[in-house]
Amino acid sequence: MARADADGSRSGRHLHEAALKRQHAREQWSILSLVVPATIVIVLIILIPLSWLFYLSFLGDNGGFSLENYHKMTQYKSYYRIFVTTFQVSILTTLACIALGYPLAFFLAQLPPRWAGVFMLAVLLPFWTSLLVRTYAWLVLLQKRGILNEFAMQVGLWETPIKLVHNMTGTLIGMAHIMLPFLILPLYNAMRKIDKDMMHAAANLGANPINAFWRVYFPLSLPGMVAGSLIVFVLCLGFYVTPAVLGGGRVIMVSNQITAILENQFDWGAASALGVVLLVATTFTLYVAARLFRFDAALFGRD
Amino acid sequence: MDSRLKLSFAVTDAPQGTTALPIEIRDLTKRYGSVYALNSVDLDVHSGEFLTLLGPSGSGKTTLLMAIAGFNRPDSGSIRFGEDEVILTPPHKREVGMVFQSYALFPHMNVAENIGFPLKLRGISGAERATRVEEALETIQLSGFGARNIDQLSGGQRQRVALARAFVFGPRILLMDEPLSALDKKLRERMQIELKHLHRKLGVTTVYVTHDQREALTMSDRIAVINDGELVQLDTPEVIYNSPANAFVADFIGESTMLPLTRDDAGALSFRGQKVGDAGTDQSKDWTLVVRPERLFFAGAGAETDDQTIVLKGVMREAVFQGESEMALVAIDDDTEVAVRFGTGGRASPAGGNTGDQVSIGLDRTDVIIIPGGQAA
């Protein structure tokens, strides 16, 4: 590079310098203006209500600052149980999604892209129908006199109807079904990016198919799996409809409890406090996962 | 670029030779739909030699290499490593090393773990593994790089690591799929020499795939020219260059001008009335004279064809300076141009003249290359 002289340029003539600078600034501003609409929306529907929620949760009966809403949560065992249930349902749903989704994504990633698209449609189709419709469809399938029980009894798999719904089983079945695409999409994406030569190299170096999978393919697909699992897990933590319909009142998650408090007691403070705790728990989970797996690489395509 | 890379591999030039295996390929056929990627290919790779599969893209050379490695399933044929038939052997049991075009280094392992991977799979214990990885790193001049991550390496360094990983477990056959194509020209040319050194040191049978004819000429003991799924010619670089089997080889390897010849009843082959050769017993109707630009020279104005030299007269169309040489295009008639290449140094033959000048170009009869058949499409 040529050495610049004292006033910063070699010739010292500064041709069009100010105009070029202005042009650069104009370009920067026009790019920046693209985020304005989104910023307004976020402030209106997320930041303001969230702040209000925080405010309410710290408001006591007498209208002053108080921790009584949070204090209540530590007093009653039912709150503890609700949080345990919430995490239990979320973890089990995530595990079920991994068990169902990993082999499926693997299968899709081996297909030629055009066929993968056809099969992917089968995964995504339910994704485009209403959540409520899908949840009630499971109710039809799983209930005591539902299609599954009737069929199983006819072919003699079991004699009396099995309780498949209005309990944890039903909730997990419904949740896993709804969450599956959220796991498959990032996982499939990560698997597609694995160079075919990687598996060739593993085999060439002496790895049998099982070794090649566990030592090379699985570690390379892990970022995609972690990203998908986190999306599923976090969505599960705040899920409402499916546990409400398929849990039959026996599976009470945090969101169900918030609804119940608002409907029965109209206690905005208590409901807000629950929401805040859930939000903190979710943020904490994401933070830990981000530290452990550096999953941002998988989510945002950073290398 | 790391300065230590300027050194070539530290090698003793004596081949070890005991570890190599010959490869014997018979009647190997692979179809994709109705297209033959490999059409009944027979090929013998001698024990310890450096053989290059050379051909244009889509010629089937990579398909052949993949078949040797076991990554594709041919429709029929036989591949033997020494005495052993391996056509049904899965790739992980073939014990061949391979360097991939993309290097295929595992990004979740560091340099030492990558190189140690094949050793680990063979149950070689930690201490011995470490020693052998260190030895391999020394061979490729990357001692002390073991703990680096793959993304901290330059292209040339990755290439070396991929190489070390391929030979560290002592395979008796080494396959390379265009391993240098991702490197810039300077580094590529240096690596060509170093790969040759390494081959001599390891003494391992090496099959090398490239579409770069220069690279093939530089590196190979023998070259197998592949086109349309068939083996066109198999010979040493000198023979391939000096006696191409047909127009395709003549055109693909080196620069050339193809001139159609006429054959008289006695079998004499001539170009514009000047006899250049004999058809012998070959009854082919079409014959072609292959002229290499660097074998031509500018003859004096009064030069005529004689026992030693064939002289062509023409008009200088264009002379292009290319650094180490100059390329002149001489029109010997309205639609035939002949390329002449000459050096630019002080002792090089002088330029034929200015554009539009009448010039005579000469070709020694010993440099005449005649091939049966018409010109390459």
Side-chain angles (χ1 to χ4, degrees), chain B residues 30-52:
Chain B
K30 171 76 182 168
R31 270 189 318 264
Y32 290 109
S34 61
V35 179
Y36 280 88
L38 293 173
N39 192 358
S40 188
V41 170
D42 291 339
L43 176 66
D44 280 299
V45 187
H46 301 155
S47 180
E49 84 171 323
F50 194 115
L51 182 126
T52 297

Side-chain angles (χ1 to χ4, degrees), chain B residues 150-180:
Chain B
I150 299 306
D151 57 13
Q152 292 173 294
L153 302 180
S154 70
Q157 291 168 338
R158 284 177 206 209
Q159 218 285 316
R160 285 152 192 265
V161 173
L163 196 60
R165 192 180 64 175
F167 71 68
V168 69
F169 60 100
R172 291 181 291 178
I173 290 165
L174 196 56
L175 309 176
M176 302 195 206
D177 184 14
E178 311 216 13
L180 306 181

Side-chain angles (χ1 to χ4, degrees), chain B residues 334-351:
Chain B
D334 284 345
D335 33 47
T336 312
E337 272 184 1
V338 176
V340 187
R341 182 180 284 287
F342 51 93
T344 50
R347 281 160 175 264
S349 55

